[in-house]
Amino acid sequence: MAEITLRKARTIIAKTLAKGRDMGLKPLSVIILDAGGNVKAFEREDGASNLRFQMAHGKAYGALGVGQGSRYLMNRAEKQPYFTAGLGTVFGNILPVPGGVLVRDRKGAIIGAVGVTGDTSDNDEIAAMAGIEAAGFTGDPG
């Protein structure tokens, strides 16, 4: 199984931030988690507001925890808010809005997740997908 190396994590971050700049987004923060939920890399653009680490982490960590992108978590929260509340109790810091994208290798195995925050959740997700694809992986937003 492939893994997200530090080099690949840095590529994801650089390309995610570049996509954000190309789209004219607000300052972004990007976190990369490995398959075990450990932080591989994080960057916060100048001008990004505080708590962005926690928000990016919550998107990516929640996605890994359920094996679905955070868009799935948002849809589930809208239909079953008690489910999401329970996940928060079990996992701790999760943020059920788009911007948490699973990273899959060429065989489809989950090898980590990316969390992006700073602009609208939909734009965060678009930027994350660009970074993941630039590193040669497949993004799964849920």
Side-chain angles (χ1 to χ4, degrees):
M1 172 177 22
E3 69 174 289
I4 302 175
T5 62
L6 182 57
R7 184 171 154 226
K8 290 283 189 177
R10 288 178 173 155
T11 297
I12 293 169
I13 289 173
K15 298 301 183 178
T16 298
L17 296 178
K19 180 68 171 179
R21 286 189 297 276
D22 289 347
M23 293 174 63
L25 304 184
K26 295 176 184 173
L28 299 178
S29 296
V30 184
I31 196 166
I32 314 299
L33 303 181
D34 66 17
N38 302 297
V39 176
K40 194 74 177 187
F42 172 78
E43 283 193 27
R44 179 183 159 274
E45 285 189 300
D46 294 341
S49 62
N50 68 335
L51 300 179
R52 291 299 171 174
F53 176 89
Q54 292 87 340
M55 293 170 75
H57 186 270
K59 289 180 179 189
Y61 195 66
L64 272 177
V66 297
Q68 299 279 339
S70 61
R71 181 170 292 278
Y72 163 84
L73 285 173
M74 179 188 72
N75 292 333
R76 188 80 185 260
E78 290 172 347
K79 294 174 187 163
Q80 297 175 303
Y82 58 86
F83 173 77
T84 307
L87 287 178
T89 300
V90 173
F91 295 132
N93 180 32
I94 65 165
L95 186 56
V97 295
V101 180
L102 295 175
V103 180
R104 294 185 182 272
D105 68 10
R106 288 190 175 109
K107 294 181 180 180
I110 296 170
I111 58 172
V114 174
V116 178
T117 183
D119 203 83
T120 67
S121 295
D122 290 335
N123 285 339
D124 293 344
E125 182 179 274
I126 290 168
M129 291 293 291
I132 293 166
E133 291 168 5
F137 299 120
T138 301
D140 181 356

